Amino acid sequence: MAEVILDNVSKYFGRFKALDSVSFTVKPGEIFTLLGPSGCGKTTTLRVIAGLEIPEEGRVLIDGYDVTYKKPYERNTAMVFQNYALWPHMTVYDNIAYGLKIRKYSRDEIKRRVKWALELLGLEGLENRYPLQLSGGQQQRVALARAIVVEPKVLLLDEPLSNLDAKLRVRVREEIVSLQRRLKITTIYVTHDQEEAMNISDRVAIMDRGRIVQIGTPAEIYYNPYNFFIATFMGRSNVLSGVVERVISDKLYEVNINGLRLNGTSTGAKLSTGEDVLVVIRYESFRKADENDKINVIEGRVERLSFIGLALQVKVITVNGHVILAYLPPREVIDTGAHIRLYVSPEDVKLYPSITGVID
C-alpha cells in the first residue's frame, strides 16, 4: 500500500491550463475518486500520476519518493484505460502476461502470476480467446487482470465502466471494489458518474475547471456541498432565487423566494440581509407536512406524478408559482390535481451567494 501526494501540480496544453495547482493526498489502501464533469481535468490528473504527462509545476510523490520526472515504468503504477487498450492480436493469456514479459520475469513466474490473475478475475477457460471474442465485461476484467498481475503499488482507473451497459456496470463496479479490498491496492478512480463515485469511494475529490473544489467522504460532500457547483452536480436538486430577509444565527437564515419564505443554511460564506442567494433543495429532502409543521412548509397543486421505482416523483406548482420536484415514498397515495403541503428541514435548504456561488 502506497501513499500518493500531488503537491500544487499545474499542467498546460499550449495556453490552456488543464490543471491549476492541484493538491491532494491519497491514503495507503484507499479508493480515492476524482469526480467532475467532462473536461474538468480528471484524466489529465491521472495521466500525470501515471507519468504519461509531465506537469509544468508541482510534484508527484509515491510512497515518499518524488516521481514527477520518472518514466511510467519506474513508478510501480498500473493504469486501466477507458477503452481497455487490449492488444487485439494477442490472446487473453498474452495480454495479461505482457507487462510481466517486458519486466523480464521467468516463464514459470509469468505462468504462476497469470494463473493467479485469471482465477482472481473469474477468467479461467478464456485464456486462449482474443479480445473480440469476449463480452465488454470480460474485456474489462482482462484489463484489470493485466494491471494487477504486475502487483503495482498504485492502481489507476480511468472511467473503467463507461463502455458497459447499466446492469453490467453495477456488477463490474462491485467486482472492482471487492478486488481492491482483497488486494489492498491504493486506487485512484476517475469518473463523471456521481452514483458510481458515491458507491465505491472512501473519499471523493470534486474537480471543476482544473481545480480541486472539495475533498471528503461521499456523505460529507453530499450533505455539506461547499459551493453551488457541487450542490447542483451531486444529486438532483431544485434551484430557486431568493433574497435574505433575516439572519437567524451564524449559519441559519430566512429567505424570501418571491413570496415563499423558507429558513435555510449556508455551508460557506456568511450572508447578509438583502443579499441575493441561490436556494438548492434536493428532491429527496421533502416529506408531506403534518399539523405540527409551522415553518418551511411549501403548499401547492400536484401537477404530475412519476413512479421511478425507489420513489414517487411529484411535480408541484406552489401557490407562489414556483415549480418544485420532490421524491416521496413510492406507495404514497396522491392524486394529480390535489392540494399538497410539503415540509423541508432548514438544514436541507442550502443557500449560496448568487454570484460567487456560480463562479466558485
Side-chain angles (χ1 to χ4, degrees), residues 57-224:
E57 301 167 7
R59 300 184 303 158
V60 179
L61 293 92
I62 296 178
D63 225 8
Y65 294 95
D66 189 334
V67 299
T68 310
Y69 302 104
K70 296 285 187 183
K71 301 293 185 184
Y73 57 81
E74 297 175 318
R75 301 183 180 216
N76 202 3
T77 64
M79 188 163 175
V80 176
F81 296 90
Q82 184 175 347
N83 62 356
Y84 316 142
L86 301 177
W87 299 104
H89 63 287
M90 291 185 183
T91 63
V92 167
Y93 183 97
D94 289 333
N95 263 286
I96 296 173
Y98 181 78
L100 299 171
K101 289 177 180 178
I102 64 174
R103 286 169 171 81
K104 308 297 184 184
Y105 282 91
S106 69
R107 182 175 297 180
D108 287 344
E109 180 66 8
I110 291 173
K111 186 175 180 180
R112 182 190 70 79
R113 289 198 181 205
V114 173
K115 182 175 183 294
W116 166 76
L118 288 166
E119 291 174 353
L120 191 64
L121 272 300
L123 295 167
E124 307 101 310
L126 301 178
E127 45 270 72
N128 294 320
R129 292 192 188 181
Y130 291 89
L132 292 178
Q133 297 173 313
L134 304 175
S135 68
Q138 289 169 335
Q139 289 184 51
Q140 182 58 270
R141 286 198 287 272
V142 173
L144 282 167
R146 183 178 61 185
I148 66 169
V149 77
V150 298
E151 297 184 353
K153 287 186 175 181
V154 182
L155 181 62
L156 307 172
L157 303 174
D158 185 15
E159 306 251 17
L161 308 181
S162 61
N163 293 324
L164 305 180
D165 63 59
K167 189 174 181 180
L168 186 57
R169 192 157 57 239
V170 172
R171 194 176 82 198
V172 176
R173 181 178 74 198
E174 294 305 315
E175 290 174 354
I176 289 174
V177 173
S178 177
L179 177 69
Q180 193 275 340
R181 298 304 185 211
R182 275 183 285 169
L183 299 179
K184 295 179 170 39
I185 301 175
T186 301
T187 300
I188 304 175
Y189 192 105
V190 161
T191 184
H192 64 272
D193 187 313
Q194 300 97 318
E195 180 184 347
E196 199 172 291
M198 299 281 283
N199 271 274
I200 70 164
S201 309
D202 294 309
R203 288 188 303 144
V204 177
I206 305 291
M207 294 193 71
D208 182 32
R209 291 170 290 181
R211 296 179 294 170
I212 300 289
V213 289
Q214 187 173 359
I215 296 176
T217 66
E220 287 169 348
I221 289 175
Y222 192 81
Y223 290 115
N224 294 294

Side-chain angles (χ1 to χ4, degrees), residues 240-244 255-258 275-279 354:
L240 305 167
S241 296
V243 178
V244 175
V255 293
N256 185 341
I257 309 166
N258 191 27
E275 184 173 353
D276 292 333
V277 290
L278 295 167
V279 182
S354 62

